[in-house]
Amino acid sequence: MLAVVNEKTIALVTGANKGIGYEIAAGLGARGWSVGVGARDEQRREDAVAKLRAAGADAFGVPLDVTDDESVTAAVQLIEERAGRLDVLVNNAGVAGGWPEEPTTLDLETVRRLVETNVIGVIRVTNAMLPLLRRSAHPRIVNQSSHVGSLTLQTTPGVDLGGISGAYAPTKTYLNAVTIQYAKELNGTNILVNNACPGYVATDLNGFSGTQTPEQGAAIAIRLATLPDDGPTGQLFDDNGVLPW
């Protein structure tokens, strides 16, 4: 198995059992990659893997709760045993609070829950997977961010980002800041790390109120996952190009 897998690019997509994450996995699988479907829910994870395999993708399930150290450690061991390395990590798993959500009435437990998944979870998974990524000839890290995390866009008159978001939007700003620091630390290595904004996509994260499909939303993450070796690092992108921090 290891010899066969080593001929393919190995990717892990967190939160890949549904929505944008599933479509990212599908897009990478369609390129002939071996794609790990990271998800907490066993049934949804295995259903997603079965659906991807039925479409011809080399998909495999990765039990993964990004908020749990033991779960992340076990995921590393699974990929180590299956492939011996990791070429691409897509940190897609995320949760949302209410919307709109004024900071003066925030439930602090909601804030903690969002930071734990949207920021600390990304750091936890990234740091755990880095030894496997360092074994890759062309390692890529893609973090799922958002327009709402851009302080520039948030403070530009006339830009409509859907109202006040006292918890979710700041977690994406925090993620943007963390990504910049990763890019600075990894400068001079072959690891490219960027953030993707999928746009306003109809998923259960927003009650399916978005105007784009999950497949459309997955496109930018797939593009960043497949960057050439001289590609950019430490930036935030949507389908139209670089976004301001």
Side-chain angles (χ1 to χ4, degrees), residues 77-103:
Q77 293 172 345
L78 187 155
I79 294 172
E80 166 85 54
E81 293 170 3
R82 179 182 177 87
R85 72 171 195 284
L86 183 64
D87 299 301
V88 173
L89 170 63
V90 181
N91 286 305
N92 169 77
V95 293
W99 203 295
E101 194 169 46
E102 290 79 14

Side-chain angles (χ1 to χ4, degrees), residues 18-21 23 198-218:
K18 60 183 179 178
I20 299 170
E23 295 298 341
Y200 190 31
V201 177
T203 68
D204 58 2
L205 204 69
N206 55 37
F208 299 96
S209 61
T211 56
Q212 293 176 279
T213 67
E215 184 176 6
Q216 290 172 321

Side-chain angles (χ1 to χ4, degrees), residues 4-152:
V4 173
V5 170
N6 274 338
E7 297 174 2
K8 298 185 176 184
T9 300
I10 313 300
L12 171 65
V13 183
T14 68
N17 62 292
K18 60 183 179 178
I20 299 170
Y22 174 85
E23 295 298 341
I24 294 171
L28 298 178
R31 285 163 170 74
W33 293 16
S34 182
V35 182
V37 175
R40 293 178 298 178
D41 187 283
E42 181 179 3
Q43 189 60 58
R44 290 180 178 178
R45 182 179 64 249
E46 294 312 310
D47 287 349
V49 169
K51 186 177 177 182
L52 288 166
R53 287 178 176 171
D58 178 12
F60 60 98
V62 181
L64 180 58
D65 179 349
V66 303
T67 68
D68 182 83
D69 288 335
E70 291 184 2
S71 175
V72 173
T73 297
V76 172
Q77 293 172 345
L78 187 155
I79 294 172
E80 166 85 54
E81 293 170 3
R82 179 182 177 87
R85 72 171 195 284
L86 183 64
D87 299 301
V88 173
L89 170 63
V90 181
N91 286 305
N92 169 77
V95 293
W99 203 295
E101 194 169 46
E102 290 79 14
T104 55
T105 57
L106 278 176
D107 172 50
L108 295 184
E109 286 306 313
T110 297
V111 177
R112 290 189 182 97
R113 179 173 62 88
L114 267 60
V115 171
E116 181 63 44
T117 298
N118 297 351
V119 183
I120 297 174
V122 172
I123 297 171
R124 178 181 286 111
V125 173
T126 299
N127 289 353
M129 294 292 170
L130 265 173
L132 294 179
L133 286 162
R134 292 184 188 278
R135 298 177 191 173
S136 171
H138 312 282
R140 306 287 180 262
I141 301 171
V142 182
N143 298 327
Q144 198 73 283
S145 187
S146 171
H147 289 114
V148 302
S150 167
L151 294 178
T152 300

Side-chain angles (χ1 to χ4, degrees), residues 153-175:
L153 295 179
Q154 285 282 4
T155 55
T156 299
V159 174
D160 181 12
L161 295 176
I164 297 172
S165 171
Y168 177 76
T171 66
K172 294 305 183 181
T173 305
Y174 191 176
L175 177 61

